[in-house]
Amino acid sequence: MLGVALVATLIAGAAQWSGRLEGTEHIAYDEALIRYTGDRKASGQVVVVAIDQQSIDAISQDAQLQVNFGNWPYTRTLWARVAQELKAAGARAVLFDAVMDERASDESADLGFAQVLRETGLPFYVGMVSSGSAKPLARADFQSPVPLATPESAPPPPSDTFPEEFEDAPAPATPVLEAGALARALAFPASRTDGKPLQSLQGTSRVPRYPVPPTPALVGAVSGFGLVDTEADGDGSMRRTHFAFTDGINTYVTLPVRMMADLLGAKEVTLSGRTLRMGERTWHVDADGSAALDYGGPLETRFRQVPLIAVLDDWIRRGHGKSPGLDPGLFRGKVVVIGGTAVGLNDIKATPFSSTQPGLVKQATVVDTLLSGAFITDAPAGVDLGLTFLVALVSAVLLMTARWTPLEVVWPVALVAGLFVLTGLLLKTSHTHVRMAMPALAGVGASVAALAFNHLVANRETQFIRQAFHRFMEPKLVEQMIRSRQLPRLDGENKEITAFFSDIRGFSTFSERFKEDPRQLVRILNTYLTTVSGALLREGGCLDKYIGDAVVCLFGAPMAQEDHAVRACRGALAAKAAVEALRQDFRAKGFPDVYTRIGVNSAVNFVGNFGSDQLFSYTAIGDGMNLAARLEGANKAYGSVIMIGPRTYELAREHIEVRELDRVRVAGKTEAVTVYELLALKGQLDASTRHTVARYHEALGLYREARFAEAAAVLEAEAARSPEDGPTGKLLERCREYLESPPENFDGVANLEK
């Protein structure tokens, strides 16, 4: 089992680290994320201003808006108006999920937008992308302040009244920005303190990538720039994000991190082991400096969305002295994420929740998590491997020990379902991603190996069991034992069983009669043995052996039987009844009598296959077997037919009628045991025999007190009434003997010498 589990784990681990399970893992992860974490309430800290189709249509259909802002991509005058309105509405900060890396045809719009940002003081963060065609920047000097690119002679900002524009403004001077100053504006201090390298902007490609600079007019006016590159898995879905990158010259952070650093007053971003730190705040991340996104649901349910046109309308209303149409507290104290949701803007990305989500959902999710949340991190590799081995081992042990066909069918399905539930609950409660595909593969692989073992190796074992026991047990019981997988340990085991011994009285004399006709002796003996064996097999016994005329039978082995003592008692009574009928038939045919004595005893014995290389068989050895044989022989001394031991009586007493015969000490033992005569099943003892038993018990009590004369008187009276009762006559003989020759040190215990 350990070998199967280990091999299954190694195969699953190799498949995982080679990437062959990546697609399956993504599917399982996405489904668990949707089912267990997709019901999060809408964020109370982030609001999305959506450049949706409604806003695009409204601007294109309004002549005045068209004059002022044009078509998409709109002039930056529009974003100046949006910034003014969000500032007035009390926004905490604005994250613009787009890039502004091209100069406007009318550069005064850029300068005007920059001037509005400086005047309002609204924290406004703009995205930037990296490109293989971009030129490397100079090394940033983080000791110097972020420069202002806009010259002092810039024109005044646009009028706050709608819809005046810059038509009469003088031509602005072209901003000039030194290379070092630009690097200082775009880069941000980030490092790893654990000796590992930061994530490279180059990614998996060999082409160096560098940030694409924004339009110079915005440098110094915008609060900061951050990377908004798409970070998609191999299937194109956005599940993870890094926080800091390097191009080999400078370090850069993502747009949400850049904004959060300012909000926390952090001067740098550090990664150490599995921790991201900004200022006094830390977040748990993966060892490579990334983390999975806890989306909590699709964009429409996780974040309040406000159309861009609604913000513009409120700016117009505010300019005309009217009350805003939006809720006055909608933006107050919130981080506002501006981004496109219209399909035509080509910013549609895939996430675990949808293949058509706006790209801004990633930025909004990261911002919300950084404000107050936790990222989803992978469990350590050791945990994944440990779980994989555990699942494989449980699968192997369960299927190779139970060997139950319904379980073999259900287990692989239950295994995958259980791993899915485990993955989902861990995602929900601890934000930990435990891999599901690898342990599922190992578990299913171990299950297949276990089934192969069961149906190849174990089938040979069951065939051996069938061949070994079909002659000694009822075929139905053998098949039941195989179906229930209660296969015996043929190498031996200690277990409590009940042993049955029977023998014909005077068989030596019996056989001498047929010394001239041995074939007739064989026929008679076969008839007798078949009769006794049939009675025992019907009660579920296992024939151990024939020793001449003696029959040895086991109950409770090889098939476990909780009621083995009761079965043995029923079998003994049935054998007695069958032999009585056979005796009558033999007498009618002139055959010798086959009077049979029986001994039954229950005890823990060692059962298994015993013998030599030439011959072996399933049997039992132990003191319990010896006592059963002694009890069979002791019937002669007590005149009884069936004698049972104390443990058999203890186990079957609720189902049988007995007579306590005596306390005996067998040869080689110092401890005395109480022996009983088995008379009938419970409730089937006739009144006459019950009276005889009562009188015998009365006499036995007197006998144990050494009151032999009184005991003899009771027994004489009963012997006159029931002269055929053997135990009464035998105890009477002993009492008379002790009256004539009183015993020394009498303790009421009889010694059985053989």
Side-chain angles (χ1 to χ4, degrees), residues 464-535:
F464 175 79
I465 296 295
R466 187 178 286 111
Q467 293 174 354
F469 290 102
H470 80 282
R471 292 177 297 163
F472 312 118
M473 295 176 63
E474 280 283 349
K476 292 182 179 179
L477 285 180
V478 176
E479 296 304 319
Q480 179 184 343
M481 182 171 63
I482 293 173
R483 284 196 305 272
S484 63
R485 300 300 181 185
Q486 297 182 19
L487 303 183
R489 291 188 57 179
L490 300 182
D491 58 342
E493 60 181 322
N494 280 312
K495 64 185 306 184
E496 186 176 55
I497 63 170
T498 299
F500 170 100
F501 276 75
S502 71
D503 201 358
I504 298 175
R505 176 184 61 186
F507 181 71
S508 297
T509 304
F510 183 101
S511 59
E512 286 179 1
R513 178 175 172 180
F514 294 93
K515 62 181 179 180
E516 302 298 332
D517 189 6
R519 287 187 177 84
Q520 182 68 4
L521 174 63
V522 171
R523 284 193 291 270
I524 292 174
L525 188 57
N526 286 348
T527 301
Y528 167 79
L529 294 175
T530 300
T531 300
V532 175
S533 300

Side-chain angles (χ1 to χ4, degrees), residues 12 16 21 43 69 82 111 139 158 241 245 330 343 366 388-389 441 458 532 536 593 596 620 698 737 742 752 754:
Q16 175 65 48
L21 296 181
S43 171
F69 308 134
V82 170
L111 297 174
R139 187 173 300 277
T241 184
F245 297 83
L330 177 60
V343 176
V366 175
T388 301
F389 179 75
L441 176 61
V532 175
L536 299 174
D593 191 11
T596 300
E698 180 184 354
E737 178 184 345
L752 297 182
K754 62 178 182 177

